[in-house]
Amino acid sequence: AKEVFLKVREAAGTESADINDSWLNLAHCYVELEQYENAIKLYQNCLSKGNGAHDARILSYLARVHIKHGQPRMAYSALLRALHVNPADVALRFNIAVTLERMAIADLRRADHTSSEVSAAIAMLKDASAQFDELSKLRQDKPVYDPRISQAESRRCSDYLK
């Protein structure tokens, strides 16, 4: 599939409106091949074209590859940008809370953390817990996540805070 999307990208040139679609598909292939740097470059390229900087979907893809590449802070940044574009998206809010939780836990597990890093991690856990609580109470017409998962994640954050 990667070779096909490379040929499509080549044939489309740089002026085609469909180029973003071929770049996105190629980036998805790179993610599956665990070639994260290539995927990140292509997603960023899509964001720089046309109205891409205001595409929450592409920003979500970028966040996903940053998580897979072990870069939760970069993922968090992309998710915040996506939420700015689409503030009503509860899936983004859920993913932000999960990312905050992951960053905080990773920071707390490091042996060389400073007291200010511990304080920041505690603040992230409190924020994540509050977001999970709020999300677990939302009524969704089309559920994008299970509210019980939000409740469990909130309890997990609280457990870390104890």
Side-chain angles (χ1 to χ4, degrees):
K2 177 181 136 192
E3 286 77 23
V4 170
F5 290 123
L6 281 169
K7 287 180 184 176
V8 169
R9 186 179 93 172
E10 224 174 81
T14 58
E15 301 301 317
S16 172
D18 295 331
I19 193 67
N20 259 11
D21 289 338
S22 63
W23 281 347
L24 284 174
N25 288 324
L26 183 56
H28 297 332
C29 289
Y30 281 134
V31 171
E32 293 308 310
L33 294 170
E34 298 181 3
Q35 295 179 14
Y36 302 127
E37 292 295 328
N38 289 331
I40 289 167
K41 286 177 188 172
L42 283 172
Y43 288 136
Q44 289 172 334
N45 196 5
C46 290
L47 288 168
S48 70
K49 302 292 181 193
N51 203 27
H54 302 291
D55 191 328
R57 179 182 55 117
I58 298 172
L59 288 162
S60 294
Y61 297 151
L62 181 61
R64 179 177 170 264
V65 74
H66 279 304
I67 286 291
K68 287 182 164 284
H69 195 39
Q71 301 170 323
R73 281 175 171 66
M74 297 296 290
Y76 180 68
S77 176
L79 288 168
L80 288 179
R81 287 174 54 201
L83 189 64
H84 181 73
V85 172
N86 190 3
D89 190 328
V90 293
L92 286 173
R93 291 174 54 202
F94 181 84
N95 289 336
I96 287 169
V98 168
T99 303
L100 275 172
E101 180 184 24
R102 284 184 181 183
M103 288 188 313
I105 292 168
D107 287 352
L108 291 173
R109 286 185 176 160
R110 282 192 9 250
D112 63 340
H113 53 255
T114 65
S115 62
S116 63
E117 290 170 330
V118 170
S119 295
I122 289 170
M124 283 189 272
L125 281 172
K126 286 179 180 177
D127 188 14
S129 180
Q131 288 185 46
F132 284 129
D133 280 341
E134 186 179 321
L135 289 167
S136 70
K137 295 171 186 163
L138 285 179
R139 301 293 168 238
Q140 305 171 60
D141 294 332
K142 296 179 187 176
V144 293
Y145 63 90
D146 186 340
R148 294 174 295 189
I149 294 173
S150 286
Q151 291 168 341
E153 291 298 327
S154 178
R155 282 191 301 274
R156 184 174 173 204
C157 289
S158 295
D159 289 345
Y160 268 100
L161 290 168
K162 291 179 184 175

